[in-house]
Amino acid sequence: MVAYAGILDGRSLWLALEPLPGVIALRDAAGVVHTIPSDLPEHDPSYRSVRVDLLALPGEEEQAYDVVVVPPDGRAPRTVWTPPLPRTPMRVPIAPGGAWQLDLARTEEGMLRVRRLRAARGVDVVAIALAEDGIRLSLAPVDDVPVELVALEDDVVVAIFPVGRDGDTLTTLITADGLPEGHDQLVRWGLGSADHWVPLRRMVNDLANPNAAVLLPVLTVPGSDDHRMRLRYAPDGTLAARVVDLAAREEEA
């Protein structure tokens, strides 16, 4: 039985089981058992505790692995039962490197399973800062998309901002006069072009509602305190914004 299971950093499986002899391992769909060394010393007689690097698993395909205990007497591996997995305000972040999304699942029989899935593509937001003439974004570099910042409404590009390079990061400035017109429209941000773009996302996002915990700058109209754009993170961790049409607001008033 599982006492605790989690993938907190996007790559490491933390696991604590009831004390029993054997080797804790992962078994793939083909029945191959993968033993990964733990970097956590077992010192508590009340539990079997391991911490293993899931990125050390072989192969480049999506895969599901049953957590098993291999008995020392040569018997077949035993699957591990887990209580229903808790629903918490945390999510498993994308693994370092951006290739994999790892998570935990519970089979219909109640057994613990690790899943390795292809992560959705994204460009990491390194920093967001309020500048004198707008909001400056620092982004992780990418090699296979056009380098322009695009604002999209329903997957249609409505604004484009130039992108430059500052050392190992890409930089761009969002200005009030470059934003699209429209009453309270929600836009998403991407790096690319009208034909091919990749969404911007929060680095190491482990929150189910990142917008509630991340304070982002507000872009105001030059010379006034009126809000022109409010940045926010969507529930999936991608960067979005609420663009305010001040003219429409004044007509309604």
Side-chain angles (χ1 to χ4, degrees):
M1 179 185 297
V2 170
Y4 174 80
I7 306 174
L8 307 182
D9 60 354
R11 67 180 299 167
S12 303
L13 172 64
W14 276 264
L15 188 63
L17 308 177
E18 60 178 310
L20 75 169
V23 177
I24 301 173
L26 298 171
R27 183 177 61 192
D28 62 28
V32 178
V33 175
H34 303 271
T35 302
I36 304 175
S38 172
D39 63 359
L40 189 68
E42 295 193 45
H43 54 77
D44 188 343
S46 302
Y47 298 100
R48 295 288 315 278
S49 300
V50 297
R51 182 177 60 200
V52 298
D53 184 3
L54 296 174
L55 296 186
L57 289 166
E60 295 296 329
E61 68 281 349
E62 293 187 330
Q63 186 70 264
Y65 301 88
D66 291 323
V67 179
V68 297
V69 176
V70 182
D73 55 8
R75 289 183 297 170
R78 300 169 58 188
T79 52
V80 174
W81 186 88
T82 179
L85 299 176
R87 294 184 179 181
T88 69
M90 296 189 67
R91 66 172 72 232
V92 178
I94 294 173
W100 298 113
Q101 176 74 69
L102 302 163
D103 68 8
L104 297 174
R106 188 175 188 260
T107 68
E108 293 182 357
E109 296 77 20
M111 304 304 172
L112 184 63
R113 180 168 289 173
V114 175
R115 298 186 302 182
R116 181 177 70 181
L117 307 173
R118 287 286 177 192
R121 288 213 60 195
V123 177
D124 288 336
V125 177
V126 178
I128 302 177
L130 189 62
E132 182 177 353
D133 48 354
I135 294 178
R136 186 169 302 280
L137 302 181
S138 298
L139 311 172
V142 291
D143 298 326
D144 58 344
V145 297
V147 184
E148 288 180 318
L149 180 72
V150 294
L152 305 110
E153 183 184 8
D154 297 328
D155 292 338
V156 176
V157 174
V158 294
I160 299 176
F161 296 90
V163 175
R165 184 176 289 271
D166 182 8
D168 293 332
T169 62
L170 303 177
T171 63
T172 184
L173 183 69
I174 303 173
T175 59
D177 56 2
L179 293 173
E181 298 296 329
H183 177 56
D184 282 353
Q185 61 179 310
L186 181 68
V187 301
R188 293 183 180 271
W189 296 100
L191 198 66
S193 67
D195 300 323
H196 178 47
W197 54 273
V198 179
L200 307 189
R201 66 187 180 196
R202 181 173 181 251
M203 293 180 64
V204 196
N205 182 48
D206 57 358
L207 301 176
N209 185 9
N211 185 59
V214 180
L215 184 62
L216 298 179
V218 176
L219 183 62
T220 58
V221 177
S224 75
D225 294 328
D226 293 330
H227 291 180
R228 185 67 176 94
M229 183 190 72
R230 302 181 182 94
L231 283 177
R232 61 183 297 175
Y233 278 114
D236 62 359
T238 56
L239 188 64
R242 178 68 65 183
V243 178
V244 180
D245 188 339
L246 297 177
R249 285 284 180 91
E250 292 176 357
E251 291 178 2
E252 289 183 355

